[in-house]
Amino acid sequence: AQSVTQLDSHVSVSEGTPVLLRCNYSSSYSPSLFWYVQHPNKGLQLLLKYTSAATLVKGINGFEAEFKKSETSFHLTKPSAHMSDAAEYFCVVSGSGYSTLTFGKGTMLLVSP
Amino acid sequence: GAGVSQSPSNKVTEKGKDVELRCDPISGHTALYWYRQSLGQGLEFLIYFQGNSAPDKSGLPSDRFSAERTGGSVSTLTIQRTQQEDSAVYLCASSLVGSGSNEQFFGPGTRLTVL
């Protein structure tokens, strides 16, 4: 069994300040972990993924995430927020072999000028 | 190249009617997934296809829901005797193979409203 907990339903930041979106996971297997982003009325887009290679994963648009097995965490960060980053972000876990994705409830990122 | 497409983009129906939602995956992707996104429930897995077979139907919420895939390509999700609680955005995704580490590419979704 696998599960994902996104610790914040909403995060508000000012443009130019750092972003931290928190995610904890639970998995019986060596997990693959993903962050997806969903802009309003748009489909889900992959930001980055971890699949047991480097623990620090760099994604698109300046986002990165660090896999910490001891903390069962996969937090998403960005040094400087941009207005276009305002969207809903989903942390996702998948087990080994064939596995469906298990989504967190999502974190809405709000960016103010 | 073309991504995952879904039709219709919006569907409004009356309670009790049947609806069909269509998904065209990325060409060459053998794995296809249906999810449902509703307020307060997040994203829920419905069904997974590998080729034309569905090894995992565990997410279908009731026997009113069914899906098929033909020719290893297009998939149709059918909801019979729709209920108001079926209102949601239905998302389709495909991946090259059905491996957990493979990126799933999502379509834009079909927004279903049951009146």
Side-chain angles (χ1 to χ4, degrees):
Chain A
Q2 56 202 30
S3 65
V4 176
T5 302
Q6 291 184 244
L7 298 166
D8 307 291
S9 60
H10 292 80
V11 169
S12 295
V13 300
S14 299
E15 191 174 22
T17 64
V19 176
L20 170 63
L21 305 183
R22 298 181 295 166
C23 172
N24 286 101
Y25 71 91
S26 171
S27 176
S28 303
Y29 306 97
S30 297
S32 295
L33 292 156
F34 307 79
W35 276 97
Y36 279 83
V37 61
Q38 187 175 35
H39 287 91
N41 300 314
K42 296 284 181 69
L44 286 155
Q45 180 185 20
L46 180 70
L47 273 181
L48 50 81
K49 70 176 183 179
Y50 165 77
T51 56
S52 76
T55 56
L56 182 62
V57 182
K58 294 188 184 297
I60 61 172
N61 300 335
F63 284 94
E64 62 182 39
E66 186 171 8
F67 173 72
K68 292 188 176 179
K69 186 175 181 178
S70 61
E71 299 176 10
T72 60
S73 69
F74 191 58
H75 301 333
L76 181 71
T77 60
K78 183 174 180 177
S80 175
H82 193 273
M83 295 296 291
S84 61
D85 295 329
E88 190 161 22
Y89 292 79
F90 294 91
C91 183
V92 183
V93 64
S94 178
S96 62
Y98 151 70
S99 179
T100 60
L101 302 181
T102 300
F103 283 76
K105 296 287 188 186
T107 298
M108 187 67 70
L109 177 64
L110 307 169
V111 183
S112 56
Chain B
V4 177
S5 61
Q6 293 185 245
S7 60
S9 55
N10 280 282
K11 176 72 176 178
V12 180
T13 191
E14 293 179 348
K15 178 181 172 181
K17 299 282 178 115
D18 297 352
V19 295
E20 283 190 353
L21 311 179
R22 176 187 168 107
C23 172
D24 279 276
I26 292 173
S27 177
H29 280 194
T30 64
L32 185 148
Y33 309 79
W34 283 98
Y35 296 87
R36 177 168 71 175
Q37 186 175 26
S38 50
L39 282 174
Q41 297 296 321
L43 259 144
E44 306 169 272
F45 163 76
L46 298 178
I47 186 169
Y48 156 65
F49 285 93
Q50 180 59 46
N52 291 335
S53 63
D56 189 348
K57 306 179 184 179
S58 62
L60 294 178
S62 76
D63 58 8
R64 296 186 295 104
F65 287 72
S66 63
E68 65 176 14
R69 188 179 185 195
T70 55
S73 181
V74 172
S75 176
T76 304
L77 177 68
T78 301
I79 309 173
Q80 296 178 308
R81 304 180 303 282
T82 52
Q83 304 293 311
Q84 288 182 332
E85 61 262 30
D86 299 334
S87 296
V89 176
Y90 290 82
L91 293 167
C92 175
S94 70
S95 66
L96 196 56
V97 294
S99 166
S101 62
N102 270 258
E103 176 184 357
Q104 292 185 18
F105 294 82
F106 284 81
T110 293
R111 182 175 296 278
L112 175 66
T113 303
V114 182
L115 301 176

